[in-house]
Each structure stands twice: as structure tokens, then as C-alpha cells.
Amino acid sequence: MALPNCHRHVLWKILSWGFFLLRSWEASGTKCKQWLSAAVECNRCIWDWSHVGWLGVTAEVTPCLPLWGFASLAAPNPPALWLPHARVCFCLQVHSKGLKLGIYSDVGTKTCAGFPGSYNHYDLDAQTFASWGVDLLKFDGCNSESLDLLAEGYRRMSVALNRTGRSIVYSCEWPFYLRPVQQPNYTEIKQYCNHWRNFYDVYDSWSSIKSILDWTALHQDTIVKIAGPGGWNDPDMLVIGNFGLSWDQSVTQMAMWAIMAAPLFMSNDLRHISPEAKWLLQNKEVIAINQDPLGKQGYQAGRDGVNFQLWERPLSDRAYAVAVLNQQEIGGPQKFTFSLTFLGNGLACNPACSIKQVLPASRDCGVYSWMSSLSLEVNPTGTVLLEVLPL
Ligand SMILES: *[C@@H]1O[C@H](CO)[C@@H](O)[C@H](O)[C@H]1NC(C)=O
Ligand SMILES: *[C@@H]1O[C@H](CO)[C@@H](O)[C@H](O)[C@H]1NC(C)=O
């Protein structure tokens, strides 16, 4: 059987300027118009982001999408507040700027916010999205009557997207909804989806970032090996540039999302972003690690007590990205010393390597031999991200 999911060789990096975390579920017509014009206005400032390699924009304006997008044409009562003109105009404006467009819908009868979902009219919705020029579909999993219907819906929407003939990235939540009841079959999920969420929504807080990292480390034996070109674990969006993360925590999110080969989506307001957050989100070295063409996801390679975690990710050309995360939430910078001998199963620095620090600031750390060790100072809740190049 031909694989239904062939929107595979698509964007690896997606700049999504969304309002997910600025959301208010009580979208009103007026508020929605404001969101839409803000998003269009921001398409201008987004221009300034494409030079670092963010390939496109998916503007997912959550409170408005039900009004201009996700409500299926087949829904018996399209919400009265639909703004069809705004919608079409918005799609055209996004594309005329060379940007990509994302949209959100749900496999069930209703979205999580209670707007009409795509249940039982997957083909019609896929065709409609394709006709609007949608480039990415984020497909949520609320309001399915059973897990069988959920799985069937995710498969059917994948096939429906393929049938449109348009290359549309398919972002699923399938395993997240399965997990409480059964172990997801990632081989199958990867045949249908390009990204999949496994865990709860990210929030603009350090405890949320920590919980995502802890979950990922705990389940790495099942989820890391399946990730690769065409199909990725999605730890959810970058919240850098909002209010909840300190500088060090923002560095941790950027570094760890690179280690996890995460699809990159931002949820922030690009009109009001600090120069530091912008520097981090536009950092070419860390984006290059995130997008490394070998496409392997990294993993936690070790821990030192409760404070330090060592993560590594194999990169192309036998290089490795290495992250040292200091979980301590008190005190000042702490020193962490580790042996290079064991990095990358003993291969990363064999017989020698040159080490470059990428975050929190770029610097050359010099050349090391296999038997040597490296000492780093890491701030509380911060991460040092390194690139290790074999010699
Ligand atoms: C649909 O699937 C076929 C068969 O796997 C593939 O060749 C084609 O490129 C896919 N089309 C799209 C638009 O994804
Ligand atoms: C998982 O899905 C694959 C592909 O659809 C299938 O070949 C395999 O048998 C499934 N594994 C289990 C344990 O059901």
C-alpha cells in the first residue's frame, strides 16, 4: 500500500506566529478583527525573520480561527460571527508576502474550544483548506466519541490532505489522546502525520518547560528512535519572548528544543519582543542544530544527582550537540565537570574534538582529547549548549 502521508519533504522549520498563549476563548467579532489585523500587520515584521532561515509563517489566530477557518463548511450552523471576507483577505495577504499559512481544526465533532470540528467531513474540510492555500493543518483530538473513531479520523484526514494534491504539513495530537489508554503505535502515526504531540500544552512558565523535558526523558526509549525526516515528536511551542521565562530559562528552551529536533513554532507577539528574545530565536547556530539534516532526535545521556542533566544529539558529519542543564533553582552558577570519553557512546571526541559553545553565548572552547574532561559553569535553570566536532 502506498503511504498516504507524502507531504513529507516539507518544511523543517516553521515560524508560527500564533496567539495560542495569548488566547481568550471568548472571541468576539471585534476582538477577532483586532487579532486579524494584528496578524497581518505583523507579517511585515516577520519579513525580518526570514533571513535566518525561518521558512514561513503559519498564523494561527486561535480565538479567530473558528470564525474564519476551522468551522467546517459542512457544519450545520456556521457560527454567526464568521468573517469570510477577513478570512480570504488574510489568506491572500499571508501568501502575497511569501509566507506560509497554518490552520487549526479537530478530528472530533467539536474543537477543544467548542467550535465545529471536522468529524465525518474530512474530505470537504481538506479541500476547503487546500482551496484557501493552507500549508499546515494542526489537527486536535478533542470530542471524539471513541479512540477508534479518533484513530480513524486521523488516518482519514491524512488521506484527505493527500488527495487535495497540495503539500500540507499535518500536525497531529493522536498519541497524546491515546496515551492514557494505550501505548501509541508510533510506526503507524509516522505513516500518517508529520508532527505529533505527546504531552500537555506548553504554558509560559518554567514548570511547564521542566515538565515537558522530564516527560521526554522518561519516555525517550519509545519516542526518540521514531523521529526523523518526515515525522517528528512535537514538544509544543516556543514561549520565548513572553513573560514567564527568565533569560536562562529561555536559553534552556531554545537549546533543548534543538536537542529534541522539535518543529519550531513560536507563540509570542513579534510586535513586542525584546532584543534578547529576538537574538535567541534568530540564533543561526542553534537553528542549524535544530534543523540538522541527519534528522536524529537527541536524548538524555546522563544525570548528576538532581541538579545536572547531560543531553546529546548526533548531528551530520559525525558531530554532536551536547546540552548541560542545571535544574537547581537556587544559588548562583554551578560548575559541572564531565568526561569527554563517553560522549556519543565514546565516538564524539575520539581521538580528539574541537568544542564550540553555542549558548548562552557563542565562543570557541578549544581542542580536547578523548581522555580529557570539560568543566562548565551553568546558571540555575540555565543550559550550556555545545557543538562537538570530531578531529
Ligand atoms: C500523495 O501520496 C502519493 C503516494 O504515496 C504521493 O506520491 C504524493 O506525492 C502524495 N501527494 C501529496 C500532495 O502529498
Ligand atoms: C504498528 O503499525 C505498523 C504499521 O501500520 C504495523 O505494521 C504494526 O504491526 C503495528 N504494531 C503493533 C504492535 O500493532
Side-chain angles (χ1 to χ4, degrees):
M1 186 191 95
L3 295 183
N5 174 8
C6 301
H7 10 94
R8 263 175 195 278
H9 300 288
V10 286
L11 314 183
W12 277 35
K13 59 189 103 167
I14 294 164
L15 168 67
S16 167
W17 183 58
F19 285 108
F20 279 98
L21 297 175
L22 307 173
R23 73 190 153 203
S24 137
W25 292 120
E26 335 100 43
S28 68
T30 322
K31 187 173 251 172
C32 193
K33 276 186 192 145
Q34 286 166 0
W35 286 123
L36 288 173
S37 56
V40 169
E41 178 196 317
C42 204
N43 288 338
R44 277 174 240 125
C45 64
I46 278 161
W47 235 186
D48 153 50
W49 291 70
S50 52
H51 72 281
V52 289
W54 291 93
L55 286 186
V57 171
T58 59
E60 297 169 283
V61 193
T62 299
C64 305
L65 280 178
L67 308 181
W68 60 268
F70 342 125
S72 162
L73 294 187
N77 291 308
L81 289 173
W82 258 44
L83 299 173
H85 299 300
R87 179 188 70 220
V88 169
C89 164
F90 179 70
C91 297
L92 290 176
Q93 291 213 34
V94 168
H95 277 132
S96 71
K97 297 190 165 74
L99 305 171
K100 306 282 183 187
L101 178 67
I103 205 160
Y104 171 102
S105 187
D106 192 287
V107 71
T109 49
K110 287 181 177 162
T111 68
C112 304
F115 295 100
S118 294
Y119 177 68
N120 224 8
H121 33 77
Y122 300 114
D123 272 299
L124 178 60
D125 283 11
Q127 297 291 343
T128 307
F129 298 152
S131 76
W132 293 342
V134 163
D135 303 296
L136 176 143
L137 171 64
K138 185 173 175 105
F139 210 43
D140 217 330
C142 281
N143 301 310
S144 257
E145 260 168 42
S146 71
L147 287 182
D148 285 343
L149 282 179
L150 177 105
E152 197 48 36
Y154 273 110
R155 291 186 203 102
R156 283 177 56 195
M157 186 49 113
S158 183
V159 173
L161 290 172
N162 177 277
R163 279 199 203 114
T164 66
R166 184 172 175 88
S167 179
I168 298 175
V169 180
Y170 186 37
S171 170
C172 301
E173 305 240 357
W174 187 353
F176 173 70
Y177 286 91
L178 278 189
R179 268 204 175 267
V181 182
Q182 69 193 58
Q183 173 67 30
N185 182 340
Y186 284 101
T187 311
E188 186 190 14
I189 289 168
K190 192 178 178 179
Q191 285 173 348
Y192 292 96
C193 302
N194 298 114
H195 318 146
W196 49 84
R197 286 273 309 284
N198 294 306
F199 189 60
Y200 295 109
D201 291 350
V202 71
Y203 279 86
D204 186 23
S205 74
W206 174 237
S207 62
S208 167
I209 302 300
K210 249 191 336 190
S211 68
I212 292 170
L213 294 174
D214 288 345
W215 187 92
T216 304
L218 193 63
H219 296 87
Q220 62 182 7
D221 290 348
T222 45
I223 65 167
V224 166
K225 57 179 185 274
I226 193 71
W232 310 99
N233 290 295
D234 178 5
D236 210 0
M237 298 170 289
L238 296 169
V239 291
I240 298 163
N242 295 300
F243 301 92
L245 302 187
S246 70
W247 165 248
D248 287 299
Q249 293 159 0
S250 302
V251 166
T252 294
Q253 194 186 24
M254 197 66 189
M256 296 309 299
W257 264 233
I259 292 284
M260 293 189 289
L264 295 182
F265 294 86
M266 294 194 274
S267 183
N268 53 23
D269 188 340
L270 292 178
R271 295 167 303 167
H272 307 288
I273 196 163
S274 69
E276 296 76 32
K278 186 171 177 181
W279 178 85
L280 195 52
L281 291 162
Q282 296 199 344
N283 186 296
K284 285 184 187 160
E285 291 174 327
V286 67
I287 289 176
I289 292 173
N290 175 279
Q291 300 288 314
D292 182 82
L294 186 62
K296 281 195 188 281
Q297 180 171 340
Y299 44 85
Q300 193 185 86
R303 319 176 54 113
D304 172 25
V306 287
N307 289 355
F308 284 104
Q309 301 182 5
L310 180 74
W311 292 67
E312 61 185 30
R313 174 178 173 187
L315 303 175
S316 43
D317 298 325
R318 296 167 46 236
Y320 278 81
V322 173
V324 177
L325 164 64
N326 178 5
Q327 290 232 85
Q328 180 83 275
E329 293 183 18
I330 197 165
Q334 298 234 9
K335 198 179 210 182
F336 178 69
T337 302
F338 63 103
S339 159
L340 298 175
T341 316
F342 304 105
L343 277 189
N345 291 315
L347 299 173
C349 193
N350 191 350
C353 55
S354 89
I355 300 185
K356 204 166 103 190
Q357 180 178 299
V358 174
L359 291 177
S362 183
R363 76 184 171 96
D364 199 352
C365 305
V367 169
Y368 291 80
S369 73
W370 192 52
M371 299 299 281
S372 50
S373 48
L374 184 66
S375 284
L376 300 169
E377 293 243 306
V378 195
N379 290 349
T381 68
T383 294
V384 172
L385 180 66
L386 306 169
E387 205 173 346
V388 178
L389 307 160
L391 291 178

